[in-house]
């Protein structure tokens, strides 16, 4: 039975939610008292609880009640309802075990979506043996039942984390909701976005992907909104921006946190008004698009640091997906390895041998900082270096993975480091100091160039130029 408990001191809210959720097949109980709610939770198992943040019950407000329900049943998904959205409060809720929160006034479609999402989440926690096929990772081919390759951008795993992700994709894809996809570098965020698009009503229309991390402040407005001929120096021809290119379909903005504050303001206006104004033009052009964004950063934290607009976050955050890192779903590793080996065999037009037990054992102890992308590259390299039909062994691994005792960090090579001038002139001193500073920042962010550039308040192009000038090279 799909049991939901609604706790709110406003009777019309309880009535509305009960009516909406009963139509979706849920068994719904309601109460306006926090104390009564605790008794009900002790007597009956609820998979999902909707709880008002500001209950009039002096002894049991929403925050206290959510903690006590979580202690009684950690597997219950608690959703806080509040008319006072505050990202700091939201973060505190999550830390205290709350599954999600929703702002008032309530929207029926959002309520249904969130209830189903929470119910799937609870079921996956309680039943890790569910045989439903699951997650998405970035690759170009998958293996069918006959072991042959066919064109696709996804491969499905069997872990509980993969199952939940795929079920949530199926849930959100048919809607027109904006989606935020969180995940580490290399987990396949763009692949998830493409899958959402392919399963939506917009699947026959364009899917346009834009890497915001590669955009300078000067280029961002033109790339997003387009520009007129002569709008600025170098604008020899008119340019159609990503919003117009994606009209009718889906626009995917990767690393959205890298957009400047001014561009964030413009993006918010486009989302609200659904019109774009190309740079240098006075004409507003209507656009009909779905927006999906991705980030490997904590956006609520970026908001608290003043790097990301809170109103833009709430506009984008109609639904959130998190792509799990490879180290959290190692049970999917054999399938991923098999798929990448077959894909590489197809690419090289020759048969590869089996992976040695030692190599497979190492794969299961390695932390995979580059996630699925790193695994795919390692397999392709290993198959290339190993003669046809020979066993693939440890010696074909990249240098940074050879240490068997611990996961190895990305290895840094200093090729011709800056030479100290014997006279210690100012240029030599400055060059050495710049070299050391860049290396320190790169190590702090695990050699993520986008993050490093942002911390040093420069764009990525400037960072690349400095890396080349100072002869700094490192293996990824």
């Amino acid at each position: 039975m799909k049991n939901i408990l609604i706790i709110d001191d406003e009777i019309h809210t309880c009535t509305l939610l009960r009516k909406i959720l009963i139509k979706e097949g849920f068994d719904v109980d309601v109460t306006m008292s926090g104390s009564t709610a605790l008794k009900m939770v002790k007597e009956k198992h609820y998979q999902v609880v909707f709880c008002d943040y500001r209950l009039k019950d002096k002894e049991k407000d929403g925050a206290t009640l959510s903690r006590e329900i979580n202690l009684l049943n950690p597997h219950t998904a608690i959703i806080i309802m509040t008319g006072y959205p505050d990202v700091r409060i939201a973060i505190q809720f999550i830390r205290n075990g709350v599954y999600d929160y929703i702002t008032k006034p309530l929207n029926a479609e959002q309520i249904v979506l969130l209830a189903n999402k929470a119910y799937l989440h609870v079921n996956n926690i309680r039943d890790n043996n569910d045989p439903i096929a699951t997650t998405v990772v970035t690759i170009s081919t998958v293996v069918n039942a006959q072991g042959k390759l066919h064109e696709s951008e996804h491969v499905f795993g069997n872990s509980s984390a993969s199952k939940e992700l795929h079920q949530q994709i199926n849930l959100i894809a048919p809607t027109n909701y904006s989606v935020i996809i969180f995940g580490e570098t290399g987990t396949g965020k763009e692949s998830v976005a493409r899958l959402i698009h392919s399963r939506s009503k917009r699947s026959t229309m364009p899917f346009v992907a834009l890497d915001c991390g590669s955009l300078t402040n000067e280029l961002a407005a033109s790339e997003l909104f387009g520009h007129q001929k002569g709008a600025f120096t170098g604008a020899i021809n008119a340019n159609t921006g990503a919003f117009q290119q994606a009209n009718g379909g889906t626009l995917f903005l990767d690393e959205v946190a890298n957009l400047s504050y001014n561009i964030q303001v413009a993006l918010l206006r486009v989302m609200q008004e659904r019109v774009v104004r190309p740079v240098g033009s006075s004409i507003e052009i209507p656009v009909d698009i779905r927006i999906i964004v991705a980030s490997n950063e904590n956006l609520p934290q970026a908001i608290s640091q003043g790097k990301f607009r809170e109103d833009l976050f709430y506009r984008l955050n109609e639904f959130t997906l998190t792509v799990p890192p490879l180290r959290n779903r190692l049970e999917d590793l054999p399938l991923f390895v098999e798929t990448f080996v077959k894909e590489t065999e197809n690419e090289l037009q020759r048969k590869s041998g089996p992976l040695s037990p030692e190599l497979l054992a190492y794969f299961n102890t390695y932390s995979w900082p580059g996630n699925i992308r790193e695994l795919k590259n390692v397999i392709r390299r290993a198959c290339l270096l190993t003669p046809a039909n020979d066993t693939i062994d440890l010696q074909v691994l990249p240098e940074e993975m050879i240490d068997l005792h611990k996961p190895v960090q990305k290895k840094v090579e200093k090729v011709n480091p800056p030479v100290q001038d014997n006279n210690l002139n100012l240029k030599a001193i400055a060059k050495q100091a710049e070299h050391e500073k860049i290396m320190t920042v790169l190590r702090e962010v695990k050699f993520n160039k986008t993050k490093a550039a942002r911390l040093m308040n420069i764009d990525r192009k400037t960072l690349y130029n400095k890396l080349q000038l100072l002869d700094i090279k490192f293996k990824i």
Side-chain angles (χ1 to χ4, degrees):
M1 184 66 70
K2 299 161 63 175
N3 298 324
I4 286 185
L5 175 62
I6 299 167
I7 311 166
D8 197 298
D9 50 25
E10 296 181 359
I11 185 63
H12 71 275
T13 299
C14 293
T15 303
L16 174 65
L17 289 179
R18 188 172 186 275
K19 184 177 180 180
I20 292 170
L21 293 170
I22 284 178
K23 288 183 179 179
E24 294 298 314
F26 288 99
D27 182 24
V28 185
D29 292 331
V30 299
T31 178
M32 293 184 287
S33 164
S35 301
T36 303
L38 274 183
K39 294 178 182 177
M40 295 171 72
V41 170
K42 291 176 182 178
E43 296 172 357
K44 182 176 179 179
H45 173 66
Y46 295 95
Q47 288 94 345
V48 183
V49 171
F50 281 88
C51 181
D52 186 30
Y53 175 47
R54 296 186 182 275
L55 289 171
K56 294 177 183 177
D57 192 325
K58 295 181 180 179
E59 296 181 0
K60 304 292 181 186
D61 64 5
T64 303
L65 193 58
S66 64
R67 286 194 297 269
E68 294 186 12
I69 293 174
N70 185 257
L71 289 173
L72 287 171
N73 192 347
H75 294 311
T76 294
I78 304 169
I79 299 167
I80 294 294
M81 301 178 291
T82 175
Y84 308 91
D86 187 320
V87 70
R88 291 167 297 180
I89 295 175
I91 292 171
Q92 192 60 45
F93 278 144
I94 301 303
R95 287 175 178 170
N96 290 338
V98 168
Y99 174 71
D100 208 339
Y101 74 101
I102 188 170
T103 56
K104 295 180 178 180
L106 303 175
N107 176 282
E109 191 175 358
Q110 283 182 307
I111 289 292
V112 171
L113 192 68
L114 192 52
N116 281 313
K117 178 183 173 184
Y119 179 74
L120 289 173
H121 171 76
V122 171
N123 272 4
N124 278 318
I125 290 176
R126 297 178 65 87
D127 184 10
N128 289 332
N129 296 318
D130 188 347
I132 298 175
T134 52
T135 197
V136 259
V137 291
T138 305
I139 64 165
S140 59
T141 51
V142 298
V143 185
N144 63 18
Q146 289 74 38
K148 297 180 180 178
L149 295 170
H150 60 88
E151 293 299 318
S152 177
E153 292 183 349
H154 314 285
V155 65
F156 298 93
N158 300 309
S159 66
S160 58
S162 297
K163 292 174 185 176
E164 181 172 352
L165 174 63
H166 192 244
Q167 288 174 329
Q168 289 183 6
I169 289 171
N170 285 337
L171 188 65
I172 190 62
T175 74
N176 206 36
Y177 281 29
S178 297
V179 181
I180 300 178
I181 304 173
F182 291 108
E184 297 176 6
T185 298
T187 50
K189 298 186 289 294
E190 182 174 340
S191 183
V192 170
R194 288 183 181 276
L195 186 58
I196 292 172
H197 173 73
S198 69
R199 297 185 180 183
S200 73
K201 298 174 183 177
R202 299 174 179 267
S203 59
T204 59
M205 302 303 286
F207 176 91
V208 176
L210 192 63
D211 180 8
C212 300
S214 64
L215 297 179
T216 62
N217 291 339
E218 295 77 15
L219 285 176
S222 174
E223 290 295 320
L224 285 167
F225 314 124
H227 68 253
Q228 294 283 36
K229 180 180 179 180
F232 49 85
T233 303
I236 301 174
N237 298 305
N239 176 59
T240 302
F243 273 89
Q244 287 179 260
Q245 294 173 30
N247 194 28
T250 302
L251 175 61
F252 173 63
L253 301 178
D254 197 9
E255 303 307 338
V256 68
N258 289 294
L259 292 175
S260 69
Y261 194 84
N262 290 337
I263 296 299
Q264 291 178 37
V265 173
L267 178 59
L268 178 63
R269 182 180 181 278
V270 172
M271 293 189 65
Q272 290 173 335
E273 305 298 331
R274 297 292 167 173
V275 294
V276 295
R277 180 185 296 170
V279 178
S281 173
S282 59
I283 300 174
E284 292 186 331
I285 303 170
V287 288
D288 170 28
I289 60 168
R290 180 186 197 173
I291 294 183
I292 301 176
V293 303
S295 178
N296 59 13
E297 293 189 41
N298 185 321
L299 289 183
Q301 185 177 355
I303 292 170
S304 64
Q305 295 171 349
K307 298 178 181 178
F308 198 80
R309 288 184 63 96
E310 186 173 6
D311 48 3
L312 178 58
F313 173 77
Y314 284 122
R315 174 67 67 174
L316 293 168
N317 191 30
E318 292 183 315
F319 196 84
T320 301
L321 288 171
T322 300
V323 186
L326 180 55
R327 62 180 174 275
N328 289 351
R329 43 176 171 162
L330 288 177
E331 60 193 276
D332 293 331
L333 198 59
L335 177 60
F336 296 161
V337 168
E338 179 186 2
T339 301
F340 292 139
V341 168
K342 289 185 179 294
E343 177 187 340
T344 307
E345 288 177 335
N346 188 58
E347 179 184 359
L348 299 178
Q349 292 296 299
R350 62 178 170 86
K351 189 72 175 175
S352 297
L355 274 65
S356 72
E358 293 78 15
L359 182 57
L360 290 172
Y362 181 73
F363 278 0
N364 280 284
T365 61
Y366 185 60
S367 63
W368 298 108
N371 292 293
I372 301 296
R373 184 183 299 139
E374 181 182 13
L375 173 63
K376 180 179 180 180
N377 290 340
V378 167
I379 293 297
R380 294 179 76 241
R381 170 195 169 102
C383 291
L384 178 64
L385 294 177
T386 305
N389 298 311
D390 282 7
T391 299
I392 302 173
D393 213 338
L394 286 168
Q395 65 265 20
V396 297
L397 292 180
E399 280 185 52
E400 60 268 28
M401 290 182 64
I402 290 176
D403 188 344
L404 295 175
H405 300 291
K406 60 181 179 181
V408 180
Q409 298 297 323
K410 297 169 183 174
K411 183 176 179 178
V412 179
E413 294 179 354
K414 299 178 184 177
V415 181
N416 299 323
V419 178
Q420 297 265 6
D421 192 304
N422 291 333
N423 296 322
L424 292 179
N425 61 62
L426 288 177
K427 285 186 178 180
I429 294 173
K431 193 173 183 182
Q432 179 67 24
E434 191 171 37
H435 181 280
E436 292 176 356
K437 178 62 177 177
I438 290 174
M439 292 306 304
T440 299
V441 174
L442 283 170
R443 291 190 188 98
E444 286 179 359
V445 298
K446 298 181 180 178
F447 303 94
N448 183 310
K449 294 175 187 175
T450 299
K451 289 185 178 179
R454 185 164 58 255
L455 285 176
M456 292 184 284
N457 199 28
I458 59 177
D459 57 46
R460 291 212 311 184
K461 184 177 180 181
T462 302
L463 176 59
Y464 286 131
N465 290 338
K466 289 185 177 295
L467 293 176
Q468 185 174 7
L469 178 66
L470 297 172
D471 264 342
I472 298 175
K473 298 179 181 179
F474 52 90
K475 295 181 178 180
I476 299 296

